[in-house]
Amino acid sequence: MTEPSGFLIGGDLAVQRLGFGAMQLPASPAAARENAIAVARRAVELGVTLIDTAYLYGAGANEELLVEALHPYPDGLVITTKVGVARSAATGEWELAGRPEVLRDQVERGLTRLRLERHALLQLHRVDPEVPLADQLGTLRELRDEGKIARIGLSEITAGQLAEARQIIEVASVQNRYSVFDREHEPVLDACTAAGIAFLPWRPVAGAGEEAAGGLPGEVAAVAAELGATPTQVALAWLLERSPVVLPIPGTADLAHLEENVAAQRIRLTPGQRGRLRVPAA
């Protein structure tokens, strides 16, 4: 298989450009957990070197699942997690939690759960509008200076927030929703491309399986038929060609889907096919 070129997150953390999002891996019941462990291990066998998780995914249960599946971690494997969301003591519902004491606690507990001495890449899951951004990022910068975080990333931010954040910290990555079907955050991707910041699109293939006679879903399906590929593979190939800073993190709990996703790395779109996968007219 022809591998896409790798990328250096933060200028020095080497990863392959197709990662894996672990959110869909269930921690229970037992049979589902066993399958989830097998999927995580197979992803690494197939050459995936970046796996994305978060405290939000089961209040740390997803992180613990990855430890069971992969620890001791192979050389070169990066487990990146996210903090900044917590359950409300009053309602039990998840809410944004960017207070310094919450971020510090989640970062330190994450190290324990993941059995790490330092987070290679730690991302703020969401910006808490009730806490000054300087306080949220300042806390993560302090933890970096203490050796608990190597690189800091952000998730679901605007171009304006990215510009503000870069005045406070060195931003290593951005994780926003983005795909061939959903380009709301195109300005953020363009800013990341210009600055050499890793862009990790989540939901990178959402909509690829939809049947449509026309419009963009139909065009993706048509290109897939021409290439002998699946619409999902075309959606991933488009992302890999969209910008050299893009690191898609498709997730699945199905081994066959995992194999399909990884095989997308060998798909190459022609200039004409790329031109057809444009933003459809309103």
Side-chain angles (χ1 to χ4, degrees):
M1 178 183 297
T2 301
E3 298 287 342
S5 59
F7 187 81
L8 297 177
I9 299 177
D12 61 354
L13 180 63
V15 296
Q16 289 297 313
R17 286 188 56 213
L18 188 71
F20 178 78
M23 182 178 70
Q24 296 184 37
L25 296 182
S28 62
R33 185 182 184 90
E34 291 176 5
N35 177 74
I37 288 172
V39 170
R41 289 174 175 168
R42 182 59 178 153
V44 175
E45 290 173 357
L46 291 171
V48 170
T49 58
L50 184 147
I51 296 180
D52 174 80
T53 183
Y55 173 69
L56 175 63
Y57 308 159
N62 193 262
E63 295 171 328
E64 293 169 345
L65 173 74
L66 293 175
V67 170
E68 182 177 346
L70 301 171
H71 193 273
Y73 304 121
D75 290 342
L77 179 63
V78 176
I79 307 291
T80 177
T81 193
K82 300 182 287 295
V83 300
V85 183
R87 287 193 184 278
S88 167
T91 67
E93 298 296 322
W94 289 100
E95 62 181 14
L96 302 183
R99 300 182 302 280
E101 66 275 14
V102 173
L103 295 179
R104 178 172 287 274
D105 180 69
Q106 289 189 357
V107 166
E108 293 179 344
R109 289 181 183 272
L111 287 172
T112 299
R113 277 192 302 273
L114 288 167
R115 301 186 190 178
L116 295 170
E117 294 183 0
R118 181 174 65 169
H119 293 288
L121 175 63
L122 189 286
Q123 300 182 105
L124 182 65
H125 208 146
R126 295 289 188 277
V127 173
D128 186 345
E130 301 300 320
V131 180
L133 184 60
D135 291 350
Q136 297 175 69
L137 298 184
T139 299
L140 298 182
R141 183 179 58 206
E142 290 172 2
L143 288 161
R144 183 200 62 194
D145 293 344
E146 294 169 16
K148 296 176 181 177
I149 299 172
R151 300 160 196 85
I152 301 170
L154 304 168
S155 180
E156 279 304 281
I157 60 169
T158 65
Q161 288 172 326
L162 175 58
E164 182 182 355
R166 294 184 66 203
Q167 299 299 312
I168 304 168
I169 60 166
E170 183 177 344
V171 178
S173 68
V174 169
Q175 185 171 327
N176 277 22
R177 188 187 71 255
Y178 186 81
S179 72
V180 66
F181 306 104
D182 181 357
R183 309 186 197 183
E184 175 185 351
H185 294 295
E186 198 115 73
V188 183
L189 172 54
D190 289 342
C192 287
T193 301
I197 296 171
F199 186 88
L200 284 62
W202 61 275
R203 296 195 71 191
V205 297
E210 295 179 1
E211 295 185 7
L216 196 52
E219 200 64 68
V220 169
V223 170
E226 293 167 8
L227 294 171
T230 68
T232 292
Q233 289 174 328
V234 169
L236 288 171
W238 182 87
L239 281 170
L240 289 168
E241 295 186 19
R242 170 62 181 80
S243 167
V245 306
V246 170
L247 282 66
I249 49 171
T252 180
D254 183 272
L255 282 169
H257 289 164
L258 171 66
E259 301 268 357
E260 175 187 353
N261 291 343
V262 174
Q265 296 175 105
R266 68 169 178 257
I267 303 298
R268 296 294 181 268
L269 306 177
T270 68
Q273 289 167 340
R274 286 195 297 273
R276 287 155 56 193
L277 302 181
R278 65 190 185 281
V279 179

